[in-house]
């Protein structure tokens, strides 16, 4: 949960300008960072969406291609719930002072998701010594600043949008259609789990009978 030492680094204007030059010289695309006259800077961050629960969009909108084998459930109150495809990635052009909470809002608007933004959290992902580390960003942390400090390497730092896991789910934050959808999904998962268990024990019983 604690930021790394380099994430706590404070840069003066000269250091920011130097870091931007170094960053731009290392990337293999046109997603450059630019220094503004007021001392702020703009640039791109890439966010991978790793959501395991369905999201809701207005029923008049068509969401991204549905994941194969996933249910498409029509809710009431003009909402449609669906699963975002695995591996969905979005580039955002943001300012140095753009906060993590604002990045979440922007991503939800891009996909016309009408769920409460508090249901989601932005995480930083890093790889070190063949281990993967995840840290949830605070609402006021600035992703572009972290991107500049880390450099362009996706192994050193990448961003992931996930469900905001707080230990206990606040079910009151969900609408009635969403709760009904979750109940149906849980029922299907339970039925599938029971089917696999029965199949496993049936095969085991068959092997024993053959041995007898």
């Amino acid at each position: 949960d604690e930021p790394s030492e380099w994430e706590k680094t404070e840069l003066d204007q000269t250091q920011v300008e130097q870091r931007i030059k170094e960053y731009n010289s290392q990337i293999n695309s046109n997603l450059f960072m630019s220094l503004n006259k007021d001392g702020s800077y703009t640039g791109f961050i890439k966010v991978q969406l790793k959501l395991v629960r369905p999201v809701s969009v207005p029923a008049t909108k068509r969401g991204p291609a549905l994941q194969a084998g996933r249910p498409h459930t029509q809710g009431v109150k003009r909402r449609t719930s669906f699963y975002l495809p695995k591996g969905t990635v979005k580039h955002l052009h943001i300012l140095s002072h753009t906060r993590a909470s604002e990045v979440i809002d922007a991503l939800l608007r891009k996909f016309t998701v009408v769920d409460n933004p508090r249901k989601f959290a932005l995480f930083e992902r890093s790889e070190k010594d063949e281990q993967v580390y995840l840290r949830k960003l605070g609402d006021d942390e600035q992703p572009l600043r972290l991107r500049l400090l880390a450099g362009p390497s996706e192994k050193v730092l990448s961003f992931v949008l996930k469900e905001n896991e707080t230990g206990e789910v606040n079910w009151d934050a969900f609408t009635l259609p969403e709760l009904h959808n979750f109940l149906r999904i849980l029922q299907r998962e339970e039925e599938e789990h029971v089917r696999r268990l029965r199949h496993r024990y049936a095969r085991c019983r068959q092997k024993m009978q053959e041995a007898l």
Side-chain angles (χ1 to χ4, degrees), residues 19 30 32-33 37 53 67 72 75 101 127 154 156 174 177 196 199 203 209 212:
R19 289 275 188 140
N30 59 349
F32 299 109
M33 289 196 190
K37 292 181 179 180
R53 301 184 189 126
Q67 184 175 326
H72 177 225
S101 59
E127 298 179 28
E154 291 289 321
V156 176
F174 294 88
R196 290 181 180 179
H199 179 68
R203 288 187 60 187
Q209 289 174 345
L212 288 172

Side-chain angles (χ1 to χ4, degrees), residues 54 71 73 83 171 174-191:
T73 307
Y83 286 86
W171 295 112
F174 294 88
T175 64
L176 282 175
E178 289 173 327
L179 291 172
H180 285 303
N181 286 343
F182 291 152
L183 286 174
R184 284 191 287 268
I185 291 168
L186 283 175
Q187 182 179 353
R188 279 191 287 267
E189 289 179 350
E190 180 183 3
E191 291 172 352

